Amino acid sequence: MAATAEEITFVKKDGNKIRGRIYRPEGTVRRLPIVIFCHGFGSNYRELMHHGNGFAEAGICCLFFDFCGGGPESLSDGKFEEMTVGTECGDLETVISCVKDLDYVDSSRIFLQGESMGGLVSALVAARHSEDIRAMVLWYPAFVIPEGAGKRYESGEREAFGLRLGAAFDREAKDIDVYGIIPAYGGPVLMIHGEQDMIVPLSYSEKALSVYGESRLIIIPGAGHGYDGADSTAAREYSIDFFRGRM
């Protein structure tokens, strides 16, 4: 099945614009399921959009977007120093609300897929909007963020992975009770995590497995934080198979 792609823009209540790219099967007239991808800390959607054709060819719309201030190369409005976990949750809520109005989207089949910090954001938003999210895939979700934020907050450190954070980031993130919040999402969850992930150790997804209801964890042998080559292809195919089984 051939795929088409187009740029798309959503406007938040504060006027900031969220910019992204949507892939969908070519020539379809029926309403389609959609997967909303959420990129990781300091990144942007161009790092993920190579997965778009694969999803569209499987009959699934696929939306990639930049969080406002989400990274140095973000195409969306906002400054990196203003970004927090909370602002990214708000961005994702805006995107979910807007895609419901797209005439080619089946609003009863909205799926989330998040990598790293985008996985944390997806999990938190799904917990608030369980009825809106059909199922969710999390690649190496950064459930470690509150712990890291607490350490930086206590030490006065303001830098993470070479990027200087705004003061609000750690002040807010350190108090997020991840494992107390995320079980409020009652839908199916697939987590995919690299065995050798040194940035977000596998144990964080293993703990999430114990608090989620309908959940599964796939471990990719030898993989670290972020997937390349065969690992990237495998993670995409696992994700597509999971979503297709829940449509």
Side-chain angles (χ1 to χ4, degrees):
M1 184 180 294
T4 61
E6 61 183 331
E7 310 306 314
I8 194 164
T9 300
F10 306 111
V11 182
K12 296 179 64 179
K13 290 180 180 178
D14 63 7
N16 278 341
K17 293 180 179 178
I18 297 171
R19 297 178 175 88
R21 186 173 178 86
I22 195 161
Y23 291 74
R24 53 177 167 147
E26 192 173 65
T28 54
V29 294
R30 58 190 172 87
R31 288 182 178 264
L32 297 165
I34 187 166
V35 174
I36 300 171
F37 268 75
C38 298
H39 68 73
F41 176 85
S43 188
N44 59 78
Y45 78 77
R46 274 86 65 214
E47 299 295 326
L48 289 169
M49 68 182 190
H50 60 281
H51 293 297
N53 284 329
F55 278 81
E57 288 164 5
I60 308 169
C61 287
C62 191
L63 170 66
F64 303 87
F65 73 96
D66 283 350
F67 287 108
C68 289
E73 297 179 25
S74 175
L75 297 181
S76 295
D77 293 344
K79 298 177 181 178
F80 181 76
E81 295 79 8
E82 298 169 342
M83 181 273 298
T84 67
V85 174
T87 66
E88 292 203 349
C89 286
D91 292 348
L92 179 54
E93 288 173 325
T94 294
V95 171
I96 292 169
S97 177
C98 290
V99 299
K100 290 179 180 179
D101 294 330
L102 297 175
D103 59 9
Y104 49 84
V105 167
D106 180 349
S107 62
S108 70
R109 292 187 291 168
I110 295 175
F111 301 91
L112 296 184
Q113 178 153 344
E115 61 145 8
S116 197
M117 181 171 165
L120 170 63
V121 170
S122 295
L124 295 174
V125 169
R128 297 180 194 166
H129 302 278
S130 189
E131 70 286 353
D132 291 328
I133 307 304
R134 186 79 162 253
M136 177 168 60
V137 171
L138 306 175
W139 289 0
Y140 40 91
F143 295 149
V144 68
I145 281 177
E147 182 180 325
K151 291 177 181 177
R152 285 191 301 270
Y153 189 79
E154 291 300 320
S155 68
E157 176 60 52
R158 291 271 296 280
E159 191 171 290
F161 302 103
L163 297 173
R164 185 165 177 80
L165 298 161
F169 187 96
D170 287 334
R171 185 174 64 245
E172 174 196 290
K174 68 182 177 62
D175 294 324
I176 298 172
D177 178 13
V178 173
Y179 298 105
I181 294 170
I182 64 174
Y185 177 64
V189 180
L190 173 65
M191 291 173 284
I192 305 176
H193 212 118
E195 179 188 31
Q196 301 297 323
D197 193 329
M198 298 293 106
I199 294 175
V200 181
L202 176 59
S203 59
Y204 286 88
S205 284
E206 291 174 330
K207 184 173 180 179
L209 191 67
S210 72
V211 302
Y212 272 129
E214 184 182 345
S215 61
R216 180 186 176 201
L217 173 61
I218 294 175
I219 300 169
I220 299 186
H225 195 75
Y227 305 133
D228 295 309
D231 292 339
S232 179
T233 300
R236 180 176 66 246
E237 293 308 310
Y238 284 135
S239 302
I240 289 172
D241 287 348
F242 174 79
F243 289 134
R244 292 186 77 173
R246 284 147 187 87
M247 290 180 180

